[in-house]
Amino acid sequence: MNPKIRTDAVDHLFDAILTLKDKEECYNFFEDLCTVNELLSLSQRYEVAAMLKERKTYLEIADKTGASTATISRVNRSLNYGCDGYDLVFKRLKE
C-alpha cells in the first residue's frame, strides 16, 4: 500500500465506512461525502475492473461504461500491479 495515503484522516474515513450497515446507509453517507461525479467515477472504475476480470476488450468496456481508454488502462494497471483490493472484493462477493 502507498504509505502516502496511510494517514489519521484516511483511517478515520475508513473507520466511518466500516460502520455502515446496509446499502441505504452507504447511499446516504457517500452522497454526503462525494459529489455525484466523484461517486459515478468510482463506480465506473469498479465496473471497468469487473469487466477486465471477465476478459472484455477495451472497446467493449469503453462502449458499455463510457470510460476512456486511459481510465481502463489505469484500472488494468491496478489489477495487475496493485494491492489486490479489487480481487479481494470480487472473491468475497462470489462467496
Side-chain angles (χ1 to χ4, degrees):
M1 167 157 299
N2 184 340
K4 290 181 181 180
I5 67 168
R6 285 198 177 256
T7 66
D8 287 342
V10 174
D11 279 349
H12 293 151
L13 173 62
F14 290 164
D15 288 340
I17 291 168
L18 289 169
T19 69
L20 300 172
K21 294 183 175 126
D22 58 33
K23 203 177 291 187
E24 191 61 32
E25 287 185 2
C26 288
Y27 272 104
N28 291 336
F29 180 72
F30 280 94
E31 189 172 337
D32 286 349
L33 179 67
C34 301
T35 65
V36 171
N37 286 338
E38 289 168 337
L39 191 51
L40 292 176
S41 291
L42 291 171
S43 65
Q44 181 187 63
R45 289 180 197 154
Y46 181 77
E47 290 302 311
V48 166
M51 292 180 76
L52 285 167
K53 292 299 280 184
E54 295 170 355
R55 304 268 189 225
K56 303 289 184 192
T57 67
Y58 277 34
L59 183 57
E60 289 172 304
I61 296 168
D63 284 345
K64 173 122 197 258
T65 66
S68 68
T69 55
T71 295
I72 298 167
S73 179
R74 214 171 304 123
V75 172
N76 194 43
R77 189 169 42 253
S78 292
L79 284 169
N80 291 317
Y81 304 108
C83 300
D84 297 325
Y86 283 118
D87 289 331
L88 175 67
V89 170
F90 293 144
K91 179 182 174 200
R92 287 188 179 163
L93 285 171
K94 279 186 179 179
E95 295 173 353

